[in-house]
Every structure is written in structure tokens, then in C-alpha cells.
Amino acid sequence: MASLVGSRVERKEDKKLLTGRGKYTADVNFIHQTYAYFVRSPHARAEIKKVDISKASKAPGVVAVLTGADIANDKIGGLIAGWRIKSEDGSDMKVPAHPPLANESVNYVGDHVAVVIAESLDEARSAADLVKVDYKILKAVVKTKDAMDSDQIYKDIPKNMCFDWLLGDRAKVKEAFDKADKIIKIDIINNRLIPNAMEPRAANADYNPSTEEITLYTTSQNPHLARIIISAFNGVAPENKLRVIAPDVGGGFGSKIYPYAEEVVCSWAAKKIERPVKWVADRTESFLSDCHGRDHVTHAELAVKNDGTFLGFKNETIANIGAYASVFGTVTPTYLFGPCATGVYKMPAAYTNVKAVYTNTAPVDAYRGAGRPEATYTIETLVEKAARELGMDPAEIRMKNFPTEFPFQQTLVHSVDSGDYNAGLKKAMEMGEYESFEKRKKESESRGKLRGIGFCTYFEACGIAPSPVVMMLGCGIGLWESAEVRFNPTGNVTVFTGSHSHGQGHDTTFAQIAADQLGIPIENIEIAHGDTDKGPFGYGTYGSRSLTVGGTAIVKACDKIVAKGKRVAAKMLEVNEDEVDFNNGEFVVAKSNKKKTIGEVAFACYLPGTYGEVKSPLPDGEEPGLKETSFFDPANFSFPAGSHICEVEVDQDTGETKVVKYTAVDDFGTIINPLIVEGQVHGGLAQGIGQALYENCHYDDSGQLVTASYMDYTMPRADNFTDFNLGFTCTPATSNPLGTKGCGEAGAIAAPPAVMNAVIDAIGKEISMPATAEKVWAACNKKNKNSEAA
Amino acid sequence: MKTFNYHSVKDVKEASKLSSSKSAFLAGGMTTIPSMKLGLANYKDIINIKGIKKLSGIKVSGKTVTIGSTTRHAEVANSKEIKKAIPSLSALAEGIGDPQVRNRGTIGGSIANNDPAADYPSACIALNAVIHTNNRKIDAEKFFRGMFETSLKSGEIIESIEFAIPQKSSYQKYPNPASRYAIVGVYVAKHKSGVNVAVTGAKSCVYNDKNLSDILSKNFSADAINNTKISASGMNSDIHASADYRANMVKVFAKKAVEAC
Ligand SMILES: Cc1cc2nc3c(=O)[nH]c(=O)nc-3n(C[C@H](O)[C@H](O)[C@H](O)COP(=O)(O)OP(=O)(O)OC[C@H]3O[C@@H](n4cnc5c(N)ncnc54)[C@H](O)[C@@H]3O)c2cc1C
């Protein structure tokens, strides 16, 4: 049988998903179901003086109206920050209380104040209008840059600062800067984004009073994490009495990694009223209350020699984490950001300092790339500026500073196991026809357009992650992954994975891996995920980890299956175990025609006997059945890398910028399914180009979200893009047997600086993201004046 | 959405009689239904006028194109006759929203709503349109009164819009990157009697830029308006475009339109 790894197997899940046969949380209904509608704060910051539910409680169809006081009475715990960060001075990060329903204050528009539960959604919504909340409106803190000098939001958190974190060595950096020929400086903004998963968040919680069990259907990238948090921290029900099911989920991009207030409230309320409680966000609620992404203000400096050698790097960043510290809200701008900020280069000295600030905006958490897009944008715009100021070619300055020996000990944290950055960049330059750029530029100019070219060479750390390492750094959980490979008696297989597919195509990729390992047809393999009652505990999907960590667990579980199979086959074939080889689904004995298929062995394992005589195919002491579990904790992160080259055309009259050529050459290590990988790159590029040119979350000075619908939030559309020219290089990862590195986030990481460098090259002025038409027009028309960052 | 009474009517009289200050006509519903869903509008009565046969259709005579009020954007976009008589009008319809919106939204609904960023009002101004209602004819110049405001009276129904066929014309739109409504849309039409430069999106209501119209009436070329200053005063300013930017875009798009004529 030909190997499936490396082939373009069409996605098994697409038939279901594209023909409306998927099953999403909103499709789940229970008898006696009730509907929840949340009363949300219309103010960015206010004290709650009083919540009067008397009218709402009497409205038609209303079953219950619950408030923060009820949550407090029932001792339901608050939402948590999952990663503990320490400040440079050794003090712990400061975290405000975050009750699922606000009790004393509301801190962003959309914050949860009460929930109305009724027989129908219309009744719940109408009654919600009758909940009277007496607010004392306070001045909101909105702007990232000004947060530390604004009114203090929380009593115990001076300067609105969660932490002031340092990674690196300030003294060494100073030394390096003292020796520099030139210091290159940038001030940039990493614009705030709203995730906009196609499927809005939803929850449907069913409580069985006889068994005291809650079944929670929810839009989660990580149902086991949802269960442990709702059990251990919110205290809604013990883990053995809480089943969390994340059925088909329509995209997450990080925003669905962890449970939100709504899931906690629905689970708790279902238990309280002893009826199922369903909630489905409308699009406005998604805009207001899904955790947002990015939102950094950065000053960075690069010390260089005149020949282009990098000597040192400084990164001073203010990260807006919103009104509350969300589950991965504190790690995203620290350990997922700082280490990668020195880029793909040898950098003798470096530090990253991040001041995380609270503001009266929605919480900010991981969003596709989580920290690495921010890091890459910083270093890659800085490097390109260095090339400009030194009069060097942008490719040359990069190659000069690439490491060539692997493993490469990167400046701040990581030991990068493998890579070949020169090969990637050279291939990208060839595919992107770098040599003939000037010709294309002239051609654009002949049509009155400005053309620019921009590079981005990146590496990122994903495949998260070694548990002891992340827990040492403050993570509240381990990040290994599990798999259970279960043969059914008739020879087909169900693979349970602790990771979760919400667009990534695991049903296909994981089946390809198992098919190769077990030598059985892919049609005979089912991938099961997303249900805490099925399969072992797992850690879900994010951080481009599923294949590298979860896929490896599958390989290891398959290895165990084969090992047991060998023992059983040996007994069945009446040979010694070491005489049995396993090839293409068959246990064979060399130089003989003796063999058993893995299906025959599985059958024997489940039906271990013979008619008419007492004879077992199982060796003495071997248990019946054929099912193996593996928990894989990786020894290292994985480090995809790549070179992206973007060309844009700018219309000076209107400022409109079009991406006209885009070349991406990525090294994801081994590629299991090129079709799926290309799709992942396309999606990432769409989001990355979206961030560079279009998307921007905007709060006004009072903290109202102006971009709360598609009328104002510019989601990129297909016609905003050109064809993407994709290529790959491959240096397999050494930290996992598959050699994979992770591809899910690369496009979103690499595209923003590639696009922005191209825009800056075209117009000859520095501007920050997003390069909207007006901003570019203003920069083009501001004669002799360097336009400032925003 | 709050509950309401739904009426489906067969003739204009019935529709007019049912209407009140708390009702809306339902044509394409592309404005009415989203505003109701968002709680921005509440009506006691919704009067569906799509069943009134005579309100829909396209007629082209020697000098005019007449479009029934419930004619959908997609029909105008695809009409062979309109493409021949006033190609810029079909092109405008083709550029409204997305296929779903074009398959439902109607010309009557669009101009009755008079969204400051809508496309059709500029066509009415540039093409010297006459709005035919159930009891009078209104010149386009007098029809559009202000933001979401027209000279329609309560119970008055637009039956059709009659456009003068120009010698040359072009509509050029800079779409809002998010919503794709016009940030600035400029409709230039050259008639025997002179040139109209209708601008939408830029101010609180569509307007005829008299200055540009005069200059182009004398010299119909993009160069003629090269040095004309467009004042930003009175222009809209929002997160997508400042008043200065809009002023610039009016000129850029006026030139584009003249060049495309
Ligand atoms: C996603 C989206 C994108 C859009 N993009 C654009 C765009 O790019 N450009 C653009 O111009 N528009 C755009 N629109 C608006 C669209 O063109 C609407 O169709 C139009 O504004 C309203 O027309 P309708 O037929 O849907 O009217 P309805 O919503 O049915 O009615 C709107 C109003 O008009 C009144 N009305 C309707 N018909 C008559 C009549 N015959 N006589 C008197 N009053 C009447 C109704 O009482 C109501 O108050 C968009 C809409 C959406 C939802």
C-alpha cells in the first residue's frame, strides 16, 4: 500500500460540512429547553449601584433572571487567568476579580450583568429590556498608550498595570548598543483585531437532576480545558459530573480555546432551574465579547554594524490585555511574543520588556499566531528599515545574519532544532522573480502606480509544548497530548484524539497518519474528538500543536498496537516474536509465507478462542482486546520558518493599496497533506493581509466599540487578494517522529510585515498597520514630513 | 424583533390606505428587516408591495428609461435594454452590495430610504430623473431632502423612476472597504442641456456639484477640473474617511468618471 503521508487526500469532513450535515452547538436542542439572553453593559466603565429584576421576572415566558448577586451567593468562582507572569522586580502579576456576572462594576461594553432565561429567545430578549441597572458611569480607559497614565480602573492595580515583564539582559544590550555603528529605531502599532470566527460562540447546557450530571455543548477548541476550568475554578460541578462536548465548531482562531462567562452561566443556571439552557451569540455579541487579538504599542531598536551585522535588539512594548486577564491573555504578549522578537537571526544581545495594561475594552487573548505575529512585525519592519538605512539589499542583510548551524540556540529562550533559512529565502526570491522586480515597478509606474516590494523572513515557536517548560514559565496546565487507538473486532479503527478540529481537517490528516502506521485503508479509520466522555483527557487545538503533539501521540499509540500485534501474531503463527515483522498491515515471518493481517490479529484479540478446543491466540498473560493509549509530551517546541515576499501597487490619488504578487515559501518540516497545508497557509495569509491592510478594531474615547458590525469592521473578502504563490522547503523537526513543525499560524505571522514593508517601499514613508487607503493617501501627500506611527 | 402585523397587498390604493406613521412598505426588505432585527426600527404594520404587478418592470423609450419601483437591483444590472441606453446605470446596480442584496433590494426602496451612502440617488440627480408616485411627479432635485429624508408624504408610494438618457455618462464609486456602500460615488452625465455631477457618500445627502457641473459643461475633460478646489466643509467624517479625504476623493472620482465617459 502506498504511503498516504505526503499525498493530497481530499478532506473527509468536507462532504458533511459543505452539505449542511455538520452538527454545531446551535443545532443541538433538548426537550424542555430554555433560552438565555444576556444583559450586557452599555458602558465601558461603571459602578453597578443596583440591579432591579422585578419587572423582568414577571414578563411573559420568563423562567429566571439571575444576576451577579446570585453567582456570589452560590459561590461560583470567577473566570481565570491561566498563566502566571512575574514582573521584572519579582512581583506577581495583578489580576482583578472577574465574576461570570458582574457584581460591583462593569468594565467594558458587553460585560455580563445579568441573564434572562425564558421559554423562547424572543421572550428572553424582550424581558432583558426590562432589567433596570442603575449605573454610576465612570471615565473609561481606552487607549493602550495612555492606560498607565489614566484613571485607575481597579482599586488594587496601580497604573492599570498587570505586569512589567522582562526577558533578556539589559546590561548586555547596552554594551552591544555602545559598540554599534548605527541604531535603527521604529515606533509601531500592532492593530487590535476581532477574531470573527464564522460560527458565533454558543452553549447549551443540560442538567439531569437524578444523576446530577451536566452535559454542556459548546463552541470550544478545547473541551477538556473547558471542563477542568468550569469544575475546578468555577466550581459548577465536579469533573466526573460534567461532560463537555464541542461538536463541529466553525472556526476559533484562538478565541474559543477557553470557556467564557456564558458557558459557566448556562451550566450553573441549568443546574439551578433543572432545565436545559441554550445561548447562541448574535454577531453583535461576538464583536463585543469574543476576546480580541494583538493591540500592542512598540518601540524597538536594532544595533547594527555598517556591514549589516546585528549586534543587539531592544523591544519596549505596551500590551493592552483589555478589562480582565483572560486565560492565555498574559502569556500571549510575554512568552509567545518576547522570544520570537529577535526573529530568525543571530542576535548577540537582546531584551523584550512588556508592560501589560488593563483598559475598558474586551479582554485580549490569543488570536491566530498569538504573540508571534506581533514579534515578527516588530523585527521584520526593523530589519527592513536597517537595510534601507544602510543601503543594503533586504535579502542580503537577512542572509548575513541567518544562523547556519543547527541546533541553533536562539538569543532569548529557544533551541531551534532544524532549519535552512538561506534555502528558503533563495527559493522565495526565485519563485517571486525578485530579479525582475524593477521591470515590474517601471511597468506599474507607466500606469501611474507606485510599486513596492517587502520581505519577511520569520521563524516561530509552536507545537506547544513541553509541559515542564511551560509550567516552569507560569502555565497553569501541561501541554502534552493524548491519543487512543481502538481497533474494533472487525478490523476497523477509531482514533480518539485530545486535540480538536474546527476547520483544520484532522479527520483527514490524522486518518492518513493512522492508515500509514497500521497499514489499513483510510476509509476504515474514524477520528473522534471533542467529547470529554470519549477518549482520554487532552489539551485541544491551538498554537499549531495538533499534528506535532497530537499526531505524535497517535503514532505512539499505533506503535503500541503493532507491538502487541506482533506478540499475538507470533503466537498465532507459532514463531518467536522477534521473527515477526510488520509491513503494510501484515505481520509476516521472513523467508516464509506465514502471515497474519492486522485485521485478523485484531479479530483474534477480541475473540480469543477456537471452536472445539481450548486454545487462545493470545500469549500467556496477554490481555484480550486491541486498544492502546499514548500521552505524548514533546521535548521541545517546533520551529517552522519561512520567507515571504510581497509586492503591492499603490494608487497615489486614492491611497488604495493592492497586493499584486505574493510568494510564500515555508518550512513546515514533513507535510502530511499538502492540500490541507496550502489551505491553512491561504487562510493565514488572508488574515495576515487583512491585518495589514483592512482590519482594525476601533473603540471611541468613551469606550464604545465603533466597529461592532461588518458595516464598519473590514473583514477582507476574496476579491481583496491575488493568487498566492506557495512553495515549501523541508528540514524535518527532530523533536517528533513525524518531523512535522506546524503550519496553522504561519500565514498570519509572516504576512503583515511582508505587506507593510512593501507598502513602505512603495510610498517611501513609514506607516503603521492597517495601511488603509486614507492613511496611505495622507502619507503620500504629506510633503517632507515623516508621518508618525498611527 | 418585535411582533408586527403583516399585510400583502395587490394594489397601490390598498397599500396607501394601510400605511401610517407606524408602518413601512416592504419592497426588498434589505434595509427594513436588518433595522428591525437590530432593534433600530419598530413597526406596527409591514405592508408588502412586491405583489403589486404594475410597480415592477423596465421601459425604454427614445429619450427615457423608466424603472418600476419594485424592480430589483439585479434586474437593472442585467437588463439588456438599460445596458444599451444607459450602461452606467446597469453598472451602478451591479455594484450595489452583494448578490443576495441585489436579488432582493429594489430601486424604489433605495431612493425612498435615501441613505447618504446609497448609489441610486446619485443616478437620479445626474440623469434628471422624475420620481412618479401614486399622486404626483417629483423632480429628483426636489426629492432628496436630507439624511434619510425625502419629500415623500405619509402613504405616498413611488411607482416608477424615469431617467433621461444622457449622451454620455459614468458612475465611479469608492466603496467603503467594510460595507461596500459608497464612501464617495460620483455620477457624471452629459446631457444636451449640460453636465450633471452628482455626488453621493460625501455629505449627509446626495447633491449636484454645481461648480464641477458648470466647468464640465463648458469643457468636458478631466483636465478641466484638475485645478478645481473641492471644499471639505460639510463633508462626512468617520473612521473610514475624513472630510479632507472625501473632498479629495470627490475630485479623483469625478475625473475618473469623466475619463470613463
Ligand atoms: C449588506 C447590504 C449591503 C448593501 N450595500 C449597498 C450598496 O452598496 N449601495 C446601496 O446603494 N445600497 C446598499 N444596500 C441597500 C440596498 O440597496 C437596499 O436594497 C435598499 O437600500 C433598500 O431597498 P429595499 O427594496 O430593500 O427596501 P425596503 O427595505 O423594503 O424598504 C426601505 C424603505 O423604503 C420604503 N419603500 C420601499 N419601497 C417603497 C416605495 N415603492 N415607495 C415608497 N416607499 C418605499 C419602505 O417603507 C422602507 O421605509 C445594502 C444593503 C445591505 C443589506
Side-chain angles (χ1 to χ4, degrees):
Chain A
M1 206 168 80
S3 168
L4 285 176
V5 165
S7 63
R8 307 174 74 86
V9 177
E10 279 188 18
R11 290 172 26 123
K12 288 174 81 171
E13 49 271 81
D14 278 351
K15 186 171 179 193
K16 161 184 89 167
L17 297 176
L18 297 177
T19 57
R21 301 285 177 165
K23 186 174 180 184
Y24 296 87
T25 299
D27 297 323
V28 174
N29 291 298
F30 298 109
I31 48 166
H32 304 312
Q33 175 176 291
T34 64
Y35 296 82
Y37 191 82
F38 284 83
V39 177
R40 292 173 188 275
S41 171
H43 308 296
R45 182 172 170 228
E47 232 174 76
I48 299 177
K49 302 278 239 193
K50 196 173 157 211
V51 182
D52 179 358
I53 60 165
S54 53
K55 270 208 179 122
S57 304
K58 287 185 216 119
V62 170
V63 178
V65 183
L66 302 171
T67 66
D70 299 307
I71 285 265
N73 277 340
D74 285 4
K75 301 201 165 45
I76 294 301
L79 302 172
I80 59 161
W83 202 304
R84 179 173 167 187
I85 299 295
K86 282 198 168 182
S87 287
E88 187 178 353
D89 66 8
S91 61
D92 245 324
M93 65 178 188
K94 297 190 174 62
V95 176
H98 188 188
L101 294 175
N103 212 355
E104 290 159 4
S105 67
V106 284
N107 292 294
Y108 65 99
V109 172
D111 207 351
H112 317 73
V113 178
V115 63
V116 178
I117 297 166
E119 300 291 347
S120 73
L121 180 58
D122 276 343
E123 286 166 325
R125 198 187 285 138
S126 302
D129 288 346
L130 303 174
V131 175
K132 287 277 159 291
V133 187
D134 186 3
Y135 293 107
K136 182 183 168 202
I137 300 169
L138 300 167
K139 191 162 183 297
V141 178
V142 180
K143 297 260 177 302
T144 310
K145 195 161 56 85
D146 306 334
M148 287 180 286
D149 310 315
S150 304
D151 288 8
Q152 193 170 318
I153 303 172
Y154 302 105
K155 221 173 45 245
D156 308 323
I157 305 183
K159 293 176 84 178
N160 296 317
M161 195 166 9
C162 177
F163 55 75
D164 182 351
W165 174 83
L166 179 77
L167 181 68
D169 188 332
R170 286 184 195 270
K172 264 176 96 178
V173 170
K174 187 177 179 306
E175 244 173 68
F177 272 66
D178 287 344
K179 284 190 295 207
D181 291 331
K182 217 173 168 92
I183 291 165
I184 318 295
K185 300 177 181 177
I186 50 165
D187 285 285
I188 51 171
I189 286 173
N190 203 289
N191 43 326
R192 187 182 180 110
L193 304 175
I194 301 178
N196 281 296
M198 199 184 290
E199 182 202 15
R201 290 190 294 113
N204 197 351
D206 182 28
Y207 176 67
N208 183 332
S210 333
T211 61
E212 299 180 345
E213 261 174 4
I214 298 173
T215 302
L216 170 67
Y217 279 83
T218 179
T219 47
S220 175
Q221 300 175 222
N222 200 348
H224 292 277
L225 184 77
R227 185 177 67 161
I228 196 174
I229 291 180
I230 296 172
S231 288
F233 294 92
N234 307 120
V236 174
E239 261 189 293
N240 63 325
K241 295 292 185 190
L242 177 61
R243 176 180 182 186
V244 179
I245 301 174
D248 288 325
V249 174
F253 311 114
S255 70
K256 295 174 182 167
I257 300 181
Y258 36 80
Y260 286 73
E262 291 88 352
E263 290 96 291
V264 176
V265 168
C266 287
S267 306
W268 161 69
K271 196 167 172 179
K272 218 172 161 64
I273 66 168
E274 299 197 350
R275 286 181 65 182
V277 179
K278 181 173 187 173
W279 168 78
V280 180
D282 59 33
R283 191 49 75 177
T284 309
E285 289 182 290
S286 304
F287 274 102
L288 291 175
S289 72
D290 289 2
C291 284
H292 295 174
R294 320 280 193 252
D295 204 340
H296 286 192
V297 175
T298 293
H299 171 80
E301 299 183 11
L302 182 68
V304 293
K305 288 212 284 208
N306 281 332
D307 70 356
T309 308
F310 300 160
L311 298 174
F313 169 76
K314 270 184 199 177
N315 171 7
E316 300 278 356
T317 291
I318 307 171
N320 186 347
I321 59 170
Y324 303 101
S326 176
V327 176
F328 294 108
T330 54
V331 69
T332 299
T334 52
Y335 289 106
L336 298 180
F337 168 64
C340 293
T342 54
V344 72
Y345 310 108
K346 290 178 285 184
M347 189 74 75
Y351 77 76
T352 289
N353 171 226
V354 179
K355 295 176 170 71
V357 294
Y358 292 107
T359 59
N360 295 113
T361 61
V364 177
D365 203 305
Y367 171 65
R368 200 169 193 169
R372 290 143 297 150
E374 296 91 317
T376 307
Y377 181 53
T378 305
I379 185 71
E380 285 304 295
T381 46
L382 193 52
V383 165
E384 199 106 333
K385 186 171 181 183
R388 275 197 306 276
E389 294 204 356
L390 295 170
M392 283 178 81
D393 181 278
E396 187 196 342
I397 196 169
R398 287 178 164 86
M399 289 192 186
K400 193 168 186 78
N401 292 284
F402 280 162
T404 47
E405 313 253 304
F406 291 87
F408 162 60
Q409 180 57 51
Q410 184 256 2
T411 323
L412 290 174
V413 172
H414 295 297
S415 172
V416 179
D417 59 344
S418 66
D420 185 346
Y421 304 148
N422 282 301
L425 181 50
K426 280 184 193 146
K427 183 164 180 177
M429 286 160 72
E430 252 164 56
M431 284 178 61
E433 303 167 300
Y434 181 54
E435 277 193 351
S436 52
F437 171 68
E438 286 303 323
K439 222 169 91 191
R440 293 191 293 281
K441 186 178 164 114
K442 290 228 166 65
E443 193 278 323
S444 296
E445 279 165 2
S446 74
R447 286 181 284 110
K449 300 271 167 77
L450 300 173
R451 195 178 184 111
I453 192 163
F455 282 69
C456 168
T457 50
Y458 76 94
F459 98 109
E460 63 128 333
C462 63
I464 53 175
S467 303
V469 176
V470 294
M471 293 189 77
M472 178 267 288
L473 297 176
C475 186
I477 52 171
L479 287 173
W480 44 262
E481 195 48 88
S482 69
E484 180 184 307
V485 174
R486 189 191 290 174
F487 258 93
N488 299 314
T490 52
N492 43 39
V493 168
T494 306
V495 177
F496 297 85
T497 169
S499 64
H500 184 273
S501 187
H502 34 279
Q504 293 85 351
H506 294 173
D507 290 5
T508 310
T509 307
F510 288 1
Q512 283 176 256
I513 295 172
D516 269 15
Q517 295 294 319
L518 302 172
I520 63 171
I522 192 167
E523 300 77 43
N524 293 359
I525 300 169
E526 231 45 57
I527 304 296
H529 60 81
D531 184 343
T532 56
D533 267 12
K534 283 187 191 170
F537 194 95
Y539 275 118
T541 288
Y542 41 90
S544 302
R545 69 188 300 272
S546 301
L547 180 59
T548 294
V549 191
T552 299
I554 294 174
V555 171
K556 301 234 166 208
C558 288
D559 286 349
K560 291 185 188 174
I561 292 268
V562 170
K564 176 169 180 179
K566 271 189 187 169
R567 295 195 296 273
V568 175
K571 169 93 189 286
M572 291 169 80
L573 297 168
E574 297 174 330
V575 296
N576 283 330
E577 192 191 326
D578 55 12
E579 291 172 76
V580 180
D581 283 328
F582 181 66
N583 297 322
N584 291 330
E586 289 175 342
F587 295 95
V588 295
V589 178
K591 291 182 202 138
S592 81
N593 56 4
K594 286 187 173 183
K595 62 177 184 188
K596 287 281 172 199
T597 67
I598 196 165
E600 288 173 301
V601 170
F603 191 79
C605 285
Y606 283 99
L607 291 85
T610 317
Y611 180 70
E613 65 181 312
V614 179
K615 186 178 171 197
S616 170
L618 302 179
D620 281 352
E622 194 74 64
E623 292 177 3
L626 191 56
K627 182 196 96 166
E628 296 289 354
T629 303
S630 174
F631 290 80
F632 176 66
D633 204 346
N636 197 353
F637 290 74
S638 62
F639 305 99
S643 299
H644 290 208
I645 304 176
C646 173
E647 289 181 29
V648 298
E649 223 174 53
V650 174
D651 182 328
Q652 295 179 77
D653 295 334
T654 64
E656 278 175 288
T657 299
K658 268 209 166 104
V659 173
V660 288
K661 196 171 170 70
Y662 199 101
T663 308
V665 173
D666 294 293
D667 178 358
F668 299 136
T670 310
I671 288 178
I672 309 290
N673 185 329
L675 184 73
I676 288 179
V677 167
E678 286 162 16
Q680 288 286 314
V681 176
H682 284 181
L685 291 178
Q687 278 168 301
I689 296 170
Q691 170 165 32
L693 298 181
Y694 307 107
E695 294 186 47
N696 197 32
C697 167
H698 182 84
Y699 283 96
D700 71 11
D701 290 342
S702 71
Q704 291 296 327
L705 182 62
V706 180
T707 50
S709 82
Y710 294 125
M711 297 302 278
D712 288 306
Y713 187 86
T714 309
M715 279 303 278
R717 307 188 196 186
D719 65 1
N720 291 127
F721 304 115
T722 180
D723 278 348
F724 301 131
N725 193 11
L726 306 189
F728 299 94
T729 57
C730 177
T731 58
T734 62
S735 56
N736 72 74
L738 289 163
T740 57
K741 293 185 173 178
C743 69
E745 295 161 293
I749 292 169
V755 174
M756 291 308 294
N757 285 336
V759 173
I760 293 167
D761 182 49
I763 65 176
K765 303 265 169 64
E766 278 177 56
I767 63 166
S768 206
M769 298 191 290
T772 57
E774 173 163 12
K775 218 194 263 178
V776 172
W777 171 79
C780 287
N781 292 284
K782 227 180 248 170
K783 301 274 180 321
N784 309 322
K785 218 168 115 194
N786 252 350
S787 68
E788 75 283 12
Chain B
M1 204 187 288
K2 299 259 157 61
T3 49
F4 55 85
N5 304 313
Y6 174 81
H7 314 269
S8 184
V9 298
K10 286 275 171 285
D11 64 65
V12 171
K13 250 200 195 128
E14 196 188 348
S16 179
K17 226 169 85 193
L18 280 166
S19 82
S20 70
S21 61
K22 286 182 189 151
S23 75
F25 298 120
L26 188 72
M30 290 290 98
T31 293
T32 303
I33 293 173
S35 3
M36 289 167 78
K37 279 171 97 172
L38 285 170
L40 300 172
N42 288 305
Y43 300 105
K44 205 170 129 264
D45 297 285
I46 288 291
I47 307 154
N48 188 345
I49 57 172
K50 287 290 287 179
I52 307 174
K53 285 227 170 63
K54 77 164 193 181
L55 294 185
S56 176
I58 293 163
K59 264 189 240 109
V60 177
S61 72
K63 289 192 179 144
T64 61
V65 168
T66 303
I67 303 177
S69 63
T70 61
T71 309
R72 295 173 294 124
H73 306 331
E75 294 171 85
V76 175
N78 297 325
S79 158
K80 285 208 181 89
E81 293 157 287
I82 300 181
K83 276 186 186 166
K84 215 168 128 203
I86 319 178
S88 59
L89 190 57
S90 299
L92 174 148
E94 179 66 36
I96 295 175
D98 47 49
Q100 288 84 346
V101 170
R102 293 195 289 276
N103 283 331
R104 283 217 166 258
T106 69
I107 186 168
S110 176
I111 67 170
N113 193 45
N114 193 21
D115 188 311
D119 298 303
Y120 268 131
S122 69
C124 295
I125 298 286
L127 300 172
N128 295 327
V130 178
I131 319 297
H132 296 252
T133 75
N134 52 338
N135 47 33
R136 58 182 169 146
K137 294 181 193 174
I138 313 168
D139 285 341
E141 290 273 359
K142 294 199 177 111
F143 182 84
F144 302 103
R145 302 273 297 263
M147 185 158 35
F148 297 107
E149 206 189 314
T150 66
S151 53
L152 285 175
K153 301 213 165 72
S154 170
E156 193 168 10
I157 294 174
I158 303 169
E159 296 195 336
S160 64
I161 301 101
E162 184 184 353
F163 296 97
I165 299 175
Q167 293 168 331
K168 293 175 177 182
S169 65
S170 170
Y171 177 65
Q172 296 290 325
K173 164 184 181 178
Y174 175 64
N176 178 317
S179 72
R180 307 241 169 146
Y181 272 85
I183 280 193
V184 162
V186 182
Y187 208 129
V188 172
K190 185 170 188 288
H191 300 272
K192 224 177 182 172
S193 53
V195 174
N196 287 328
V197 180
V199 181
T200 188
K203 295 189 177 176
S204 60
C205 182
V206 65
Y207 63 96
N208 197 348
D209 190 314
K210 298 283 187 217
N211 187 27
L212 291 178
S213 300
D214 284 349
I215 298 171
L216 290 170
S217 295
K218 285 180 202 127
N219 174 6
F220 194 74
S221 76
D223 285 345
I225 53 175
N226 246 346
N227 297 321
T228 312
K229 261 204 107 54
I230 310 274
S231 161
S233 111
M235 296 250 171
N236 299 332
S237 187
D238 53 42
I239 57 164
H240 301 287
S242 66
D244 281 339
Y245 183 59
R246 278 192 163 86
N248 167 67
M249 296 299 259
V250 168
K251 185 153 136 191
V252 172
F253 279 74
K255 283 167 65 179
K256 275 187 204 269
V258 172
E259 277 162 4
C261 268

